[in-house]
């Protein structure tokens, strides 16, 4: 494979000098990643084979990881590990290899393995810790059906090293295969070619022939069923959730066709979705061939399936062309939000997509206000050295990145921009991209035809939003604004709102615009008319609970407690706990709930919430 950084640099050389490009010896294939100890420019993993046993009783994965290597310099393989029990290393012929675990920092350690001359195949025997941050062992009573426990992994950003010794950098891509032994009555699934039903041997094999980065390694084990949704798509879920999930995701095959029409062939074979238990900390995770999804989008009206469009879009932006480091995270997410919006527009129309755009913009403005207008964390290109890369997973990467691409589209025209994106995905497929390389690619392939080069650097390297940024509008939301104003001014009753045909997005816009100065009587009338406190729609419920916390609306608090006890999606629970922590009364109530709910949350959420609530509390 030709390294795209070399290709882009050589293209720029030709463009600027007209000379024949000559590669230089110091060109590195892999971008420097401050979040990984690995040294892939010396020795890189090109293939991984896992042989693992799943032990629910002890909450441990044990077995081996075998590696095929590309050696360029040096006689040592360096892997990222964290809380792993490394039991031995050996060459393919069985000879023992010297290794050592060297202390790193709070994000992990180094596993150094000495390599004899010419050795390109070896294996490591190991076991995970019961506290491995990437692994969430869900007790049977916390699953929907309550019949069997459930295991799922979450590797992004740098947690794969807690369940596999690996070069845990998005810059390093490798193929993989696996064999996983499960308890009886459970099926294993991975980000690879998957079985569709359990087998009697409780042993499952997997193969991923496309090179992927470590953060896209994924494993799930549970009592699951599969239902086909089309020629290339289907859904896995617990038996009690499978029919609802299949109904909710009925448009998935059409999303796939719409995506291909926009930006080229889907390169991964199948596209399936796994619905996880409520403790999953994210809306979705774009694991190749098997998106992990939160059950909070299963609401019965297909109104929240833009999340599926988002994870599907990652099959191009992120999985196909990957940010080289976590400082370049916007290259994954900004492109994906843009692509998601285009899929939704193709399927449901411009007005529908416009509502999503406005909601995203509102969230972006809130994030910028929270971080501070001048904060370096509002740059698209980040500097996360010596920080957890999760710090960069904010609306800046998603929504500012989206607006930047929307701005480029407005400058060049949609037809030309679509051609650019399609070629971008095609020419950089299965490779990584830095922000700086993207700017070079952008200049050569899109901006060179403009009479004046636009100021892309202000978008990427400066805080906040440029003055000329696009401001999304929605005619449907303008109608909602009119209804809200009439209700707040007493011109119509809550029960008389002309809202029978409103989508989830219109209700969210109504709730997010409600004034904090309204009295409790108004909230009681609104809640009585539309049942927000007991809404089965998690998006609407979470928005209502934010209002209830600010207004100290007591009737909502029992339902809020039940919500926090059940739902682990960080998008919802983080702002709710933050709102509670703003008052002495709310802090006391929130801390009491968190004590009970904390064991149900994934480590990704726990890390965030511990800081908000200052856990462990002084009184503990």
């Amino acid at each position: 494979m030709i390294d795209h950084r070399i290709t882009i640099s050589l293209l720029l050389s030709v463009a600027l000098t007209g000379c024949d490009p000559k590669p230089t010896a110091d060109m590195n294939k892999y971008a420097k990643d401050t979040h990984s100890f690995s040294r892939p420019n010396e020795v890189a993993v090109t293939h991984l084979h896992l042989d693992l046993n799943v032990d629910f009783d002890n909450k441990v994965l044990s077995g081996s990881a075998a590696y095929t290597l590309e050696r360029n310099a040096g006689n040592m393989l360096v892997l990222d590990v964290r809380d792993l029990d490394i039991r031995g290393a050996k060459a393919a012929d069985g000879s023992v290899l010297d290794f050592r675990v060297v202390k790193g920092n709070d994000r992990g350690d180094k596993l150094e393995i000495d390599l004899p001359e010419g050795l390109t195949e070896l294996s490591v025997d190991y076991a995970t810790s019961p506290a491995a941050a990437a692994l969430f062992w869900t007790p049977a009573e916390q699953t929907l059906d309550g019949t069997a426990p459930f295991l799922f992994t979450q590797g992004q950003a740098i947690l794969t090293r807690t369940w596999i010794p690996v070069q845990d950098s998005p810059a390093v891509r490798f193929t993989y295969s696996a064999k996983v032994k499960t308890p009886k009555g459970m099926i294993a699934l991975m980000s690879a070619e998957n079985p569709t039903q359990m087998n009697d041997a409780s042993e499952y094999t997997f193969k991923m022939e496309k090179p992927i980065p470590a953060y896209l390694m994924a494993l799930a084990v549970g009592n699951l069923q599969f239902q086909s949704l089309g020629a290339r798509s289907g859904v896995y879920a617990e038996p009690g959730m499978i029919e609802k999930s299949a109904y909710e995701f009925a448009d998935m095959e059409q999303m796939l066709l719409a995506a291909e029409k926009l930006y080229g062939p889907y390169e991964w074979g199948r596209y399936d979705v796994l619905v996880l238990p409520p403790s999953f900390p994210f809306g979705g995770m774009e694991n190749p061939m098997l998106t992990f999804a939160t059950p909070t989008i299963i609401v019965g009206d297909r109104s929240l399936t833009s999340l599926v469009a988002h994870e599907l879009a990652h099959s191009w932006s992120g999985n196909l062309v990957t940010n080289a480091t976590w400082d370049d995270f916007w290259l994954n997410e900004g492109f994906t939000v843009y692509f998601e919006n285009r899929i939704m527009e193709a399927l449901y129309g411009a007005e529908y997509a416009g509502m999503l755009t406005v909601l995203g913009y509102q969230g972006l403005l809130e994030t910028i206000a929270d971080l501070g207008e001048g904060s370096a964390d509002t740059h698209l290109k980040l500097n996360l050295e010596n920080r957890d890369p999760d710090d960069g997973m904010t609306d800046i990467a998603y929504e500012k990145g989206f607006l930047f691409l929307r701005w480029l589209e407005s400058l060049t025209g949609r037809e030309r921009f679509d051609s650019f994106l399609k070629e971008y995905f095609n020419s950089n497929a299965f490779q990584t991209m830095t922000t700086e390389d993207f700017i070079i690619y952008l200049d050569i392939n899109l901006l060179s035809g403009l009479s004046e080069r636009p100021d892309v650097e202000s978008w990427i390297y400066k805080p906040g939003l440029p003055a000329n940024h696009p401001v999304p509008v929605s005619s449907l939301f303008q109608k909602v604004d009119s209804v809200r104003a009439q209700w707040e001014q007493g011109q119509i009753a809550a029960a008389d709102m002309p809202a029978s045909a409103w989508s989830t997005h219109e209700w969210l816009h109504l709730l997010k615009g409600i004034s904090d100065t309204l009295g409790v009587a108004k909230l009681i009338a609104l809640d009585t008319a539309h049942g927000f406190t007991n809404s089965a729609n998690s998006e609407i419920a979470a928005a209502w609970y934010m209002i209830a916390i600010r207004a100290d609306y007591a009737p909502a608090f029992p339902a809020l407690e039940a919500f926090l006890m059940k739902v682990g999606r960080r998008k919802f629970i983080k702002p709710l706990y933050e709102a509670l922590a703003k008052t002495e009364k709310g802090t006391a109530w929130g801390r009491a709930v968190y004590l009970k709910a904390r064991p149900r949350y994934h480590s990704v959420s726990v890390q965030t919430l511990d800081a908000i609530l200052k856990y462990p509390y002084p009184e503990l």
Side-chain angles (χ1 to χ4, degrees):
M1 180 185 295
I2 298 174
D3 178 59
H4 81 277
R5 274 177 291 280
I6 297 175
T7 303
I8 292 172
S9 298
L10 298 184
L11 284 171
L12 185 61
S13 174
V14 173
L16 295 180
T17 69
C19 300
D20 291 335
K22 291 186 171 69
T24 59
D26 61 352
M27 287 182 177
N28 286 327
K29 181 176 181 179
Y30 300 98
K32 181 182 178 182
D33 185 352
T34 61
H35 294 105
S36 173
F37 295 112
S38 65
R39 302 201 292 263
N41 284 305
E42 297 176 11
V43 180
V45 173
T46 59
H47 182 79
L48 167 68
H49 176 74
L50 294 174
D51 190 338
L52 295 175
N53 180 69
V54 181
D55 182 350
F56 274 93
D57 291 336
N58 295 300
K59 298 182 180 179
V60 164
L61 300 177
S62 61
S64 64
Y67 310 87
T68 302
L69 307 178
E70 174 188 81
R71 298 185 60 172
N72 299 307
N75 295 304
M76 182 189 296
L77 171 64
V78 182
L79 302 173
D80 295 298
V81 295
R82 178 177 155 194
D83 298 330
L84 293 180
D85 176 13
I86 306 300
R87 297 171 172 175
K90 59 187 177 182
D93 63 5
S95 57
V96 175
L97 300 175
D98 291 332
F99 74 91
R100 63 212 144 265
V101 176
V102 180
K103 181 65 178 176
N105 52 40
D106 58 358
R107 290 179 290 281
D109 303 316
K110 293 184 283 186
L111 172 58
E112 299 179 343
I113 305 172
D114 295 330
L115 303 176
E117 190 70 29
L119 180 69
T120 59
E121 293 186 350
L122 73 151
S123 63
V124 173
D125 293 329
Y126 75 99
T128 63
S129 161
L135 304 179
F136 196 83
W137 303 87
T138 307
E141 58 270 22
Q142 291 181 25
T143 64
L144 177 70
D145 293 340
T147 59
F150 198 107
L151 166 67
F152 66 86
T153 66
Q154 175 56 40
Q156 193 182 42
I158 56 169
L159 297 182
T160 299
R161 64 191 67 178
T162 70
W163 73 282
I164 307 172
V166 71
Q167 293 182 318
D168 199 3
S169 167
V172 182
R173 304 181 72 110
F174 50 88
T175 57
Y176 83 88
S177 53
K179 181 173 70 174
V180 178
K181 180 74 173 178
T182 73
K184 293 291 185 182
M186 295 187 180
I187 190 172
L189 304 172
M190 296 192 75
S191 50
E193 296 178 8
N194 279 301
T196 57
Q197 57 187 357
M198 295 181 194
N199 62 49
D200 293 336
S202 298
E203 189 171 281
Y204 301 91
T205 59
F206 304 91
K207 181 170 59 176
M208 169 51 75
E209 296 182 327
K210 310 287 188 181
I212 65 170
Y215 77 89
L216 293 176
M217 292 291 299
L219 170 67
V221 179
N223 177 23
L224 298 165
Q225 290 183 356
F226 173 79
Q227 187 162 321
S228 175
L229 299 175
R232 294 176 291 172
S233 61
V235 61
Y236 295 87
E238 292 183 68
M241 182 67 84
I242 190 68
E243 292 299 330
K244 292 179 180 179
S245 300
Y247 174 83
E248 206 78 24
F249 301 146
D251 291 339
M252 208 155 71
E253 191 77 23
Q254 294 305 310
M255 287 183 181
L256 183 51
L257 293 171
E260 289 185 310
K261 187 174 181 180
L262 282 166
Y263 299 128
Y266 177 75
E267 298 284 359
W268 302 92
R270 290 194 58 81
Y271 180 74
D272 297 321
V273 171
L274 167 62
V275 180
L276 293 177
S279 54
F280 184 51
F282 300 118
M285 182 61 210
E286 63 272 17
N287 306 309
M289 303 184 73
L290 187 68
T291 282
F292 284 7
T294 171
T296 62
I297 63 173
I298 309 297
V299 293
D301 62 3
R302 301 174 183 164
S303 62
L304 301 179
T305 53
S306 62
L307 182 141
V308 176
H310 181 93
E311 306 308 332
L312 171 61
H314 266 305
S315 301
W316 286 260
S317 51
N319 298 5
L320 198 62
V321 186
T322 307
N323 50 218
T325 76
W326 296 112
D327 289 345
D328 307 297
F329 183 57
W330 77 274
L331 289 172
N332 276 21
E333 296 299 348
F335 279 73
T336 299
V337 174
Y338 178 88
F339 197 168
E340 165 204 344
N341 195 262
R342 295 293 304 278
I343 293 172
M344 299 306 286
E345 180 181 327
L347 290 183
Y348 307 119
E351 283 194 335
Y352 189 95
M355 290 193 292
L356 297 174
T357 301
V358 172
L359 288 173
Y361 181 66
Q362 291 169 345
L364 174 62
L365 295 181
E366 291 172 5
T367 297
I368 292 174
D370 289 344
L371 293 172
E373 288 279 351
S375 170
D377 284 350
T378 65
H379 297 185
L380 285 180
K381 174 63 182 278
L382 297 171
N383 179 7
L384 296 169
E385 187 170 4
N386 298 320
R387 297 171 63 187
D388 192 312
D390 273 1
D391 291 350
M393 295 183 180
T394 71
D395 274 346
I396 301 301
Y398 292 77
E399 299 297 340
K400 183 179 178 181
F402 163 75
L403 282 185
F404 172 55
L405 297 183
R406 179 62 69 85
W407 175 70
L408 290 175
E409 178 201 306
S410 71
L411 296 178
T412 61
R414 174 167 283 193
E415 183 177 353
R416 183 175 176 187
F417 191 64
D418 279 350
S419 296
F420 164 77
L421 280 187
K422 188 173 183 178
E423 181 55 30
Y424 170 76
F425 294 132
N426 179 62
S427 62
N428 297 290
F430 303 108
Q431 299 187 59
T432 59
M433 182 71 66
T434 66
T435 297
E436 289 67 35
D437 286 343
F438 173 72
I439 293 172
I440 293 171
Y441 188 92
L442 181 70
D443 278 332
I444 294 171
N445 294 285
L446 184 66
L447 302 183
S448 59
L450 299 179
S451 58
E452 182 178 349
R453 184 184 183 278
D455 181 12
V456 301
E457 284 75 16
S458 288
W459 277 90
I460 293 171
Y461 298 112
K462 291 185 179 180
L465 289 170
N468 62 346
H469 73 271
V471 178
V473 295
S474 165
S475 59
L476 294 176
F477 280 178
Q478 289 170 347
K479 295 176 182 177
V480 173
D481 290 336
S482 175
V483 170
R484 187 197 305 109
Q486 292 175 57
W487 169 69
E488 288 187 348
Q489 294 164 15
Q491 298 172 8
I492 59 172
D496 295 330
M497 289 180 173
S500 59
W502 277 7
S503 66
T504 295
H505 314 302
E506 286 155 296
W507 282 114
L508 286 175
H509 185 68
L510 176 94
L511 293 174
K512 290 184 177 183
I514 286 179
S515 170
D516 287 344
T517 61
L518 288 177
V520 171
K522 277 276 194 182
L523 297 182
I524 292 174
L526 188 64
D527 195 14
T528 301
H530 300 293
F532 293 131
T533 290
N534 296 307
S535 174
N537 185 313
S538 295
E539 292 278 358
I540 291 174
W544 176 250
Y545 297 146
M546 287 294 291
I547 295 170
I549 291 169
R550 293 195 299 264
D552 195 20
Y553 177 62
F557 274 71
L560 169 59
E561 179 175 356
F563 184 88
L564 292 172
M565 289 294 296
K566 179 182 179 182
V567 175
R569 188 177 175 185
R570 191 168 60 172
K571 169 188 173 181
F572 295 142
I573 60 178
K574 176 178 179 286
L576 290 171
Y577 279 114
E578 284 176 331
L580 287 165
K582 288 181 178 179
T583 67
E584 184 177 344
K585 178 181 178 182
T587 298
W589 187 90
R591 284 179 165 183
V593 172
Y594 186 54
L595 273 180
K596 296 181 288 184
R598 190 176 185 271
R600 296 170 175 260
Y601 296 152
H602 190 277
S603 62
V604 169
S605 297
V606 166
Q607 177 177 303
T608 300
L609 300 177
D610 280 358
I612 293 170
L613 295 169
K614 297 179 174 55
Y615 180 92
Y617 321 139
E619 61 268 26
L620 292 182

